[in-house]
Amino acid sequence: MVTYARGNSRAPWAQPATVALVCAAAALICAGGIARAAVAESPSAEIDFSRDVRPILSSNCFVCHGHDAEARKGDLRLDDRESAFLDRDGYAVIVPGSVEDSLIIDRVTAEDDDVRMPPGKNPLTPEEISTLRRWIEQGATWEEHWAFTPVTRPDPPAVSDEAWAHSDFDRFVLARLDAEGLSHAKQADKRTLIRRVSLDLTGLPPTREEVRAFLDDTAPDAYEKVIDRLLATPQYGEHMSRYWL
């Protein structure tokens, strides 16, 4: 049985701030999925390199045109802006603003199997090709991978429902929902909240006594106290350890 001591000695990932970050990350991932779907459906949507283009290149091109010099073909890197945009004696793989002059479009749309990229029986989908075309038409803005970008603290965006946004995380999530014309879910009642957090953190439903204590606790930090209590239980350690067993 895995146990963790109460108080400040619990594992670093068990801190309340970490739980909040995980929840926010999950919400942003969902929002990112919504954004990708919107891009696919709307020809006028702005293409984001990191969200829309890099995944296409990474999944289909980096094996032969990535950082591995031994596996690289054609002396071309599509994970590096300088190489991807390089003038190669009159032609370039990517020419910002010009689909016609961008060799990458010729290769991914070629009908000849010996010419089309990526090689093999899995060509890019029409949606992926459309994304590449629109990205180039819009200027082929390149972004470095987030791992190499200095961390900055952005200003929280203005949102339509300030009362709903209890934190900066909420504001970023709500701003994306507003942009997509979606509405947020209603606030869950306390009985639902304690059931959700108990199942999430321990894999077990709350006891009747725990539910009653939470319902009777009218303090502003009642929910935070429930999280702290659950994070300090052996059941939390047991539940989390399943992912490493």
Side-chain angles (χ1 to χ4, degrees), residues 132-162:
L132 291 178
R133 285 180 179 275
R134 287 154 54 198
W135 173 62
I136 293 172
E137 289 172 349
Q138 294 174 12
T141 300
W142 187 280
E143 298 172 351
E144 292 301 322
H145 192 280
W146 62 265
F148 304 107
T149 303
V151 177
T152 60
R153 182 180 291 276
D155 294 327
V159 294
S160 60
D161 188 353
E162 287 288 346

Tab-separated table of all heavy atoms in Angstrom, residues 132-162:
chain	number	residue	atom	x	y	z
A	132	LEU	N	-2.237	23.574	-45.162
A	132	LEU	CA	-0.930	24.034	-45.627
A	132	LEU	C	-1.073	25.165	-46.645
A	132	LEU	O	-0.336	26.162	-46.598
A	132	LEU	CB	-0.150	22.873	-46.249
A	132	LEU	CG	0.326	21.768	-45.300
A	132	LEU	CD1	1.047	20.675	-46.086
A	132	LEU	CD2	1.237	22.329	-44.217
A	133	ARG	N	-2.011	25.012	-47.568
A	133	ARG	CA	-2.241	26.058	-48.574
A	133	ARG	C	-2.603	27.385	-47.908
A	133	ARG	O	-2.036	28.442	-48.233
A	133	ARG	CB	-3.377	25.647	-49.516
A	133	ARG	CG	-3.026	24.584	-50.552
A	133	ARG	CD	-4.254	24.297	-51.412
A	133	ARG	NE	-4.007	23.320	-52.443
A	133	ARG	CZ	-3.491	23.602	-53.637
A	133	ARG	NH1	-3.182	24.856	-53.931
A	133	ARG	NH2	-3.302	22.644	-54.529
A	134	ARG	N	-3.556	27.327	-47.005
A	134	ARG	CA	-4.031	28.554	-46.366
A	134	ARG	C	-2.958	29.178	-45.486
A	134	ARG	O	-2.848	30.407	-45.390
A	134	ARG	CB	-5.299	28.249	-45.569
A	134	ARG	CG	-6.502	28.005	-46.473
A	134	ARG	CD	-7.544	27.128	-45.829
A	134	ARG	NE	-7.976	27.620	-44.542
A	134	ARG	CZ	-8.600	26.867	-43.641
A	134	ARG	NH1	-8.833	25.595	-43.884
A	134	ARG	NH2	-8.987	27.387	-42.499
A	135	TRP	N	-2.152	28.339	-44.848
A	135	TRP	CA	-1.050	28.860	-44.033
A	135	TRP	C	-0.068	29.632	-44.908
A	135	TRP	O	0.365	30.738	-44.551
A	135	TRP	CB	-0.350	27.699	-43.335
A	135	TRP	CG	0.902	28.083	-42.608
A	135	TRP	CD1	1.023	28.953	-41.561
A	135	TRP	CD2	2.228	27.606	-42.888
A	135	TRP	NE1	2.338	29.040	-41.161
A	135	TRP	CE2	3.095	28.226	-41.959
A	135	TRP	CE3	2.754	26.712	-43.809
A	135	TRP	CZ2	4.467	27.979	-41.936
A	135	TRP	CZ3	4.119	26.461	-43.789
A	135	TRP	CH2	4.957	27.095	-42.861
A	136	ILE	N	0.275	29.076	-46.062
A	136	ILE	CA	1.200	29.755	-46.976
A	136	ILE	C	0.561	31.032	-47.518
A	136	ILE	O	1.201	32.089	-47.584
A	136	ILE	CB	1.613	28.812	-48.119
A	136	ILE	CG1	2.461	27.661	-47.566
A	136	ILE	CG2	2.380	29.572	-49.202
A	136	ILE	CD1	2.770	26.576	-48.578
A	137	GLU	N	-0.709	30.959	-47.915
A	137	GLU	CA	-1.415	32.139	-48.424
A	137	GLU	C	-1.438	33.263	-47.393
A	137	GLU	O	-1.346	34.447	-47.741
A	137	GLU	CB	-2.848	31.763	-48.811
A	137	GLU	CG	-2.957	30.901	-50.057
A	137	GLU	CD	-4.372	30.397	-50.274
A	137	GLU	OE1	-5.205	30.552	-49.354
A	137	GLU	OE2	-4.643	29.850	-51.366
A	138	GLN	N	-1.547	32.898	-46.123
A	138	GLN	CA	-1.620	33.890	-45.054
A	138	GLN	C	-0.246	34.400	-44.621
A	138	GLN	O	-0.144	35.192	-43.686
A	138	GLN	CB	-2.360	33.300	-43.853
A	138	GLN	CG	-3.831	33.011	-44.128
A	138	GLN	CD	-4.524	32.295	-42.976
A	138	GLN	OE1	-3.976	32.192	-41.875
A	138	GLN	NE2	-5.728	31.801	-43.218
A	139	GLY	N	0.807	33.963	-45.315
A	139	GLY	CA	2.139	34.480	-45.018
A	139	GLY	C	3.085	33.496	-44.381
A	139	GLY	O	4.241	33.825	-44.103
A	140	ALA	N	2.624	32.267	-44.121
A	140	ALA	CA	3.485	31.209	-43.571
A	140	ALA	C	4.227	31.662	-42.314
A	140	ALA	O	5.441	31.499	-42.193
A	140	ALA	CB	4.473	30.713	-44.633
A	141	THR	N	3.487	32.233	-41.380
A	141	THR	CA	4.104	32.649	-40.120
A	141	THR	C	4.641	31.434	-39.378
A	141	THR	O	3.929	30.454	-39.173
A	141	THR	CB	3.079	33.383	-39.236
A	141	THR	OG1	2.611	34.535	-39.934
A	141	THR	CG2	3.711	33.807	-37.916
A	142	TRP	N	5.907	31.508	-38.975
A	142	TRP	CA	6.587	30.387	-38.317
A	142	TRP	C	6.725	30.683	-36.833
A	142	TRP	O	7.017	31.809	-36.435
A	142	TRP	CB	7.962	30.187	-38.945
A	142	TRP	CG	8.703	28.976	-38.474
A	142	TRP	CD1	9.405	28.828	-37.318
A	142	TRP	CD2	8.817	27.730	-39.170
A	142	TRP	NE1	9.950	27.572	-37.234
A	142	TRP	CE2	9.607	26.872	-38.362
A	142	TRP	CE3	8.337	27.254	-40.386
A	142	TRP	CZ2	9.928	25.572	-38.741
A	142	TRP	CZ3	8.655	25.957	-40.766
A	142	TRP	CH2	9.436	25.130	-39.953
A	143	GLU	N	6.537	29.675	-36.020
A	143	GLU	CA	6.714	29.817	-34.576
A	143	GLU	C	7.659	28.728	-34.087
A	143	GLU	O	7.548	27.576	-34.506
A	143	GLU	CB	5.373	29.688	-33.849
A	143	GLU	CG	4.354	30.752	-34.219
A	143	GLU	CD	2.996	30.453	-33.615
A	143	GLU	OE1	2.825	29.348	-33.058
A	143	GLU	OE2	2.110	31.313	-33.702
A	144	GLU	N	8.570	29.103	-33.219
A	144	GLU	CA	9.452	28.103	-32.630
A	144	GLU	C	8.650	27.201	-31.699
A	144	GLU	O	7.598	27.590	-31.180
A	144	GLU	CB	10.582	28.780	-31.853
A	144	GLU	CG	11.567	29.528	-32.736
A	144	GLU	CD	12.237	28.614	-33.751
A	144	GLU	OE1	12.544	27.451	-33.395
A	144	GLU	OE2	12.444	29.048	-34.898
A	145	HIS	N	9.141	25.998	-31.492
A	145	HIS	CA	8.474	25.075	-30.581
A	145	HIS	C	8.392	25.714	-29.198
A	145	HIS	O	9.313	26.408	-28.755
A	145	HIS	CB	9.249	23.759	-30.506
A	145	HIS	CG	8.500	22.655	-29.824
A	145	HIS	ND1	8.411	22.550	-28.460
A	145	HIS	CD2	7.791	21.615	-30.331
A	145	HIS	CE1	7.692	21.488	-28.141
A	145	HIS	NE2	7.303	20.906	-29.264
A	146	TRP	N	7.274	25.472	-28.521
A	146	TRP	CA	7.047	26.118	-27.229
A	146	TRP	C	8.166	25.822	-26.235
A	146	TRP	O	8.458	26.638	-25.345
A	146	TRP	CB	5.708	25.675	-26.641
A	146	TRP	CG	5.612	24.196	-26.355
A	146	TRP	CD1	5.098	23.232	-27.161
A	146	TRP	CD2	6.070	23.519	-25.175
A	146	TRP	NE1	5.197	21.995	-26.571
A	146	TRP	CE2	5.789	22.139	-25.347
A	146	TRP	CE3	6.679	23.930	-23.992
A	146	TRP	CZ2	6.107	21.183	-24.379
A	146	TRP	CZ3	6.996	22.978	-23.029
A	146	TRP	CH2	6.705	21.621	-23.231
A	147	ALA	N	8.837	24.665	-26.380
A	147	ALA	CA	9.890	24.303	-25.431
A	147	ALA	C	11.089	25.244	-25.523
A	147	ALA	O	11.874	25.344	-24.579
A	147	ALA	CB	10.337	22.861	-25.673
A	148	PHE	N	11.243	25.930	-26.659
A	148	PHE	CA	12.378	26.831	-26.849
A	148	PHE	C	11.961	28.300	-26.778
A	148	PHE	O	12.751	29.188	-27.100
A	148	PHE	CB	13.041	26.552	-28.204
A	148	PHE	CG	13.470	25.124	-28.368
A	148	PHE	CD1	12.771	24.265	-29.206
A	148	PHE	CD2	14.553	24.622	-27.666
A	148	PHE	CE1	13.151	22.939	-29.356
A	148	PHE	CE2	14.938	23.298	-27.803
A	148	PHE	CZ	14.236	22.456	-28.646
A	149	THR	N	10.729	28.539	-26.379
A	149	THR	CA	10.220	29.900	-26.287
A	149	THR	C	10.214	30.357	-24.834
A	149	THR	O	9.685	29.645	-23.971
A	149	THR	CB	8.785	29.983	-26.847
A	149	THR	OG1	8.774	29.506	-28.199
A	149	THR	CG2	8.271	31.411	-26.804
A	150	PRO	N	10.814	31.499	-24.517
A	150	PRO	CA	10.815	31.976	-23.128
A	150	PRO	C	9.394	32.094	-22.584
A	150	PRO	O	8.474	32.517	-23.292
A	150	PRO	CB	11.488	33.355	-23.231
A	150	PRO	CG	12.316	33.281	-24.474
A	150	PRO	CD	11.540	32.412	-25.421
A	151	VAL	N	9.241	31.709	-21.342
A	151	VAL	CA	7.927	31.756	-20.709
A	151	VAL	C	7.565	33.199	-20.385
A	151	VAL	O	8.374	33.956	-19.845
A	151	VAL	CB	7.916	30.915	-19.414
A	151	VAL	CG1	6.565	31.034	-18.713
A	151	VAL	CG2	8.213	29.458	-19.737
A	152	THR	N	6.364	33.586	-20.741
A	152	THR	CA	5.853	34.914	-20.414
A	152	THR	C	4.505	34.771	-19.728
A	152	THR	O	3.832	33.746	-19.865
A	152	THR	CB	5.686	35.784	-21.674
A	152	THR	OG1	4.763	35.140	-22.573
A	152	THR	CG2	7.019	35.984	-22.384
A	153	ARG	N	4.122	35.785	-18.993
A	153	ARG	CA	2.820	35.772	-18.330
A	153	ARG	C	1.879	36.701	-19.098
A	153	ARG	O	1.977	37.924	-18.992
A	153	ARG	CB	2.938	36.230	-16.881
A	153	ARG	CG	1.609	36.197	-16.121
A	153	ARG	CD	1.782	36.660	-14.689
A	153	ARG	NE	2.553	35.711	-13.916
A	153	ARG	CZ	2.026	34.626	-13.328
A	153	ARG	NH1	0.737	34.372	-13.449
A	153	ARG	NH2	2.794	33.804	-12.637
A	154	PRO	N	0.971	36.134	-19.875
A	154	PRO	CA	0.058	36.979	-20.655
A	154	PRO	C	-0.987	37.632	-19.762
A	154	PRO	O	-1.310	37.129	-18.681
A	154	PRO	CB	-0.589	35.981	-21.624
A	154	PRO	CG	-0.551	34.678	-20.883
A	154	PRO	CD	0.734	34.696	-20.097
A	155	ASP	N	-1.501	38.744	-20.224
A	155	ASP	CA	-2.576	39.408	-19.493
A	155	ASP	C	-3.874	38.635	-19.696
A	155	ASP	O	-4.202	38.253	-20.828
A	155	ASP	CB	-2.752	40.844	-19.989
A	155	ASP	CG	-1.540	41.711	-19.680
A	155	ASP	OD1	-0.912	41.471	-18.631
A	155	ASP	OD2	-1.228	42.608	-20.490
A	156	PRO	N	-4.625	38.391	-18.634
A	156	PRO	CA	-5.903	37.682	-18.778
A	156	PRO	C	-6.834	38.451	-19.708
A	156	PRO	O	-6.922	39.678	-19.634
A	156	PRO	CB	-6.452	37.645	-17.344
A	156	PRO	CG	-5.250	37.815	-16.475
A	156	PRO	CD	-4.328	38.722	-17.231
A	157	PRO	N	-7.516	37.764	-20.604
A	157	PRO	CA	-8.401	38.450	-21.556
A	157	PRO	C	-9.705	38.895	-20.906
A	157	PRO	O	-10.112	38.379	-19.863
A	157	PRO	CB	-8.656	37.367	-22.609
A	157	PRO	CG	-8.560	36.086	-21.836
A	157	PRO	CD	-7.476	36.312	-20.821
A	158	ALA	N	-10.349	39.861	-21.540
A	158	ALA	CA	-11.684	40.271	-21.105
A	158	ALA	C	-12.671	39.180	-21.504
A	158	ALA	O	-12.533	38.553	-22.560
A	158	ALA	CB	-12.063	41.595	-21.759
A	159	VAL	N	-13.658	38.949	-20.663
A	159	VAL	CA	-14.622	37.881	-20.922
A	159	VAL	C	-16.041	38.409	-20.770
A	159	VAL	O	-16.273	39.487	-20.210
A	159	VAL	CB	-14.407	36.684	-19.966
A	159	VAL	CG1	-13.078	36.014	-20.246
A	159	VAL	CG2	-14.467	37.135	-18.510
A	160	SER	N	-16.978	37.626	-21.267
A	160	SER	CA	-18.374	38.058	-21.277
A	160	SER	C	-19.054	37.915	-19.925
A	160	SER	O	-20.059	38.571	-19.666
A	160	SER	CB	-19.148	37.233	-22.316
A	160	SER	OG	-19.097	35.843	-21.988
A	161	ASP	N	-18.507	37.053	-19.066
A	161	ASP	CA	-19.163	36.782	-17.787
A	161	ASP	C	-18.119	36.795	-16.675
A	161	ASP	O	-17.572	35.757	-16.305
A	161	ASP	CB	-19.880	35.428	-17.850
A	161	ASP	CG	-20.749	35.160	-16.625
A	161	ASP	OD1	-20.695	35.954	-15.666
A	161	ASP	OD2	-21.480	34.148	-16.633
A	162	GLU	N	-17.840	37.987	-16.153
A	162	GLU	CA	-16.826	38.121	-15.109
A	162	GLU	C	-17.205	37.350	-13.849
A	162	GLU	O	-16.349	36.846	-13.132
A	162	GLU	CB	-16.620	39.600	-14.768
A	162	GLU	CG	-15.875	40.390	-15.824
A	162	GLU	CD	-14.396	40.044	-15.871
A	162	GLU	OE1	-13.907	39.391	-14.924
A	162	GLU	OE2	-13.729	40.420	-16.850
